[in-house]
Amino acid sequence: MLLIPAIDLKDGRCVRLKQGDMSRVTVFSEDPAEMALHWVKKGAKRLHLVDLNGAFAGKPVNELAVRHIVRAVQGYALENGLQDVPIQLGGGIRDLDTVERYLDHGLRYIIVGTAAVKNPGFLQDACGVFAGHIIVGLDAQDGKVATDGWSKLSRHDVIELGRKYEGFGIEAIIYTDIGRDGMLQGLNIAATVRLAQAVGVPVIASGGVQSIRDVEALCAVRHEGIEGVICGRSIYEGTLDLEEAQRCVDALEGS
């Protein structure tokens, strides 16, 4: 079970939003690369980046900050003889050239969200050209997928799309309950499990992690196909201690 710290980028800074609302923002760091190193030093085995400006603009906006993060993390791993920490990124990725450029920067996974819904042909092409590197982000409310930085709610059913994209060859699905994201109200584990049971690719949970109890509850159903969980506001505000949670996960998986 991967515990994946989130680094949300807005105007070059590390922030967190409540329910994806750009007006409800808390700035946690003016230096996202330093924040990335902080989580790596705390034991993070993967990092999750989101270009929030890019999600709304439909094109990369915080690319410079992303490159700084990748260089910092790769440099730290090399200097300390550590394994590379995979980094995944979503937000404003709408074409193959952008995917290729980001992978060339050193990112391991590219997350396709809005473009997967609006242009499934692009997603299918990306999976074919960059096999093993494409993750789909399904952000939903009451089972329906949202797009354009969560500003628009579509008629598409989460499970229906998950099965469709599985056939394209995606690496995993990140499932976010947008009603809970940034609210510290606990994960929607039931909905996450339903999706994981319906598809044959790993599912990463997201949205609402509050405490170690959420991590324990997710570990209890990890056999359903749940690979990890993205941790945001909880680790920034201290309601979840990343190191403690990782020890808990390691103990549960070793038992």
Side-chain angles (χ1 to χ4, degrees):
M1 177 71 66
L2 291 168
L3 303 180
I4 311 172
I7 298 175
D8 290 357
L9 302 168
K10 181 178 184 291
D11 305 327
R13 300 179 294 180
C14 174
V15 308
R16 291 300 295 167
L17 306 183
K18 290 186 176 180
Q19 297 177 315
D21 187 341
M22 290 286 268
S23 67
R24 303 171 70 188
V25 60
T26 303
V27 177
F28 285 105
S29 176
E30 298 286 342
D31 188 345
E34 189 61 38
M35 183 59 72
L37 288 178
H38 171 77
W39 296 127
V40 171
K41 292 173 183 178
K42 291 286 186 181
K45 299 176 182 178
R46 189 187 294 192
L47 295 175
H48 175 79
L49 311 185
V50 180
D51 182 346
L52 292 172
N53 300 105
F56 284 89
K59 60 182 180 180
V61 175
N62 288 285
E63 189 168 350
L64 183 60
V66 171
R67 294 176 66 179
H68 286 165
I69 290 170
V70 173
R71 283 201 297 265
V73 171
Q74 289 180 340
Y76 177 80
L78 184 63
E79 289 172 6
N80 292 275
L82 303 175
Q83 287 187 334
D84 186 29
V85 177
I87 301 176
Q88 59 194 42
L89 168 74
I93 299 168
R94 306 283 194 271
D95 58 71
L96 294 178
D97 287 343
T98 301
V99 174
E100 183 174 25
R101 190 168 71 251
Y102 271 135
L103 291 176
D104 286 345
H105 290 338
L107 291 162
R108 180 75 60 84
Y109 302 107
I110 301 300
I111 303 162
V112 181
T114 293
V117 178
K118 292 189 169 184
N119 186 6
F122 159 63
L123 175 64
Q124 192 165 21
D125 289 344
C127 289
V129 176
F130 306 107
H133 295 282
I134 305 300
I135 293 174
V136 161
L138 292 179
D139 309 322
Q141 185 171 355
D142 300 324
K144 299 300 180 183
V145 174
T147 63
D148 299 279
W150 302 354
S151 63
K152 299 177 182 178
L153 196 62
S154 76
R155 299 177 182 176
H156 296 286
D157 179 77
V158 169
I159 290 177
E160 180 183 297
L161 285 185
R163 286 172 171 164
K164 177 180 178 179
Y165 299 154
E166 177 187 354
F168 292 174
I170 58 174
E171 187 71 11
I173 295 172
I174 296 174
Y175 173 72
T176 303
D177 184 325
I178 64 177
R180 299 188 183 213
D181 189 73
M183 302 303 289
L184 299 176
Q185 294 178 345
L187 289 163
N188 189 338
I189 290 179
T192 305
V193 168
R194 283 196 297 272
L195 176 61
Q197 290 174 334
V199 299
V201 295
V203 171
I204 298 171
S206 175
V209 173
Q210 196 271 335
S211 70
I212 191 68
R213 291 188 296 275
D214 294 303
V215 175
E216 292 170 341
L218 203 60
C219 281
V221 294
R222 65 186 184 277
H223 61 279
E224 300 289 358
I226 298 172
E227 181 180 51
V229 57
I230 294 170
C231 307
R233 187 172 289 272
S234 59
I235 57 173
Y236 286 95
E237 296 192 351
T239 63
L240 177 69
D241 183 293
L242 185 67
E243 287 181 301
E244 177 192 357
Q246 188 62 62
R247 288 194 295 270
C248 175
V249 168
D250 292 344
L252 287 171
E253 293 186 341
S255 63

